[in-house]
Amino acid sequence: MMLCIASAGVVTALAVSSFTLEWTHSVERTQWREEWQVTDAGLQLVEASVESSGAGIALPDDAVLKDGRWSYRPQLPPLASLDLAASGMTPGGWSLCPGENRCLTLGTGPGEAARVWSAAATCGK
């Protein structure tokens, strides 16, 4: 499977089976992290974690404090794509870390958008 990333008019294709998506919450200024699998059915959210709860961060009842973060396993179906939109209210963009590869920074400026999806062989728009 390919992980496809469209940002700033460029499409990037990575041959990976998973990735981590991290960002800083615009109000609470805490780090949010999600672990994703790249599957034939789409992008599957496996685990989410956040450093603390607060404005706009409602923790589910099954969240557990682990390594200084509240972690939980969302029960969601695979998604065809993720659309990321930068508000400009955070200190940085989205950090997408594909497996052992170097992290990519997406959406650092206000209004910058990025789209992430999986594909069997090639990443067409």
Side-chain angles (χ1 to χ4, degrees):
M1 291 301 304
M2 299 298 292
L3 178 63
C4 307
I5 305 161
S7 178
V10 176
V11 176
T12 302
L14 302 171
V16 297
S17 60
S18 64
F19 66 95
T20 301
L21 189 62
E22 297 179 350
W23 67 95
T24 300
H25 190 274
S26 61
V27 176
E28 294 295 329
R29 301 288 194 227
T30 59
Q31 186 191 60
W32 199 294
R33 181 182 302 145
E34 294 177 342
E35 304 292 334
W36 291 85
Q37 295 269 326
V38 182
T39 72
D40 291 335
L43 301 175
Q44 180 67 57
L45 180 57
V46 177
E47 184 177 54
S49 66
V50 65
E51 293 173 327
S52 66
S53 62
I57 305 173
L59 295 172
D61 292 337
D62 62 343
V64 295
L65 187 58
K66 176 172 72 172
D67 298 326
R69 305 177 64 82
W70 288 99
S71 298
Y72 58 99
R73 295 188 178 275
Q75 300 300 311
L76 301 172
L79 300 176
S81 66
L82 293 172
D83 292 306
L84 308 174
S87 67
M89 302 303 291
T90 61
W94 304 80
S95 181
L96 190 147
C97 304
E100 298 296 319
N101 298 324
R102 245 178 34 174
C103 296
L104 306 169
T105 301
L106 308 170
T108 55
E112 288 183 26
R115 182 172 175 242
V116 181
W117 70 98
S118 64
T122 61
C123 297
K125 285 187 178 184

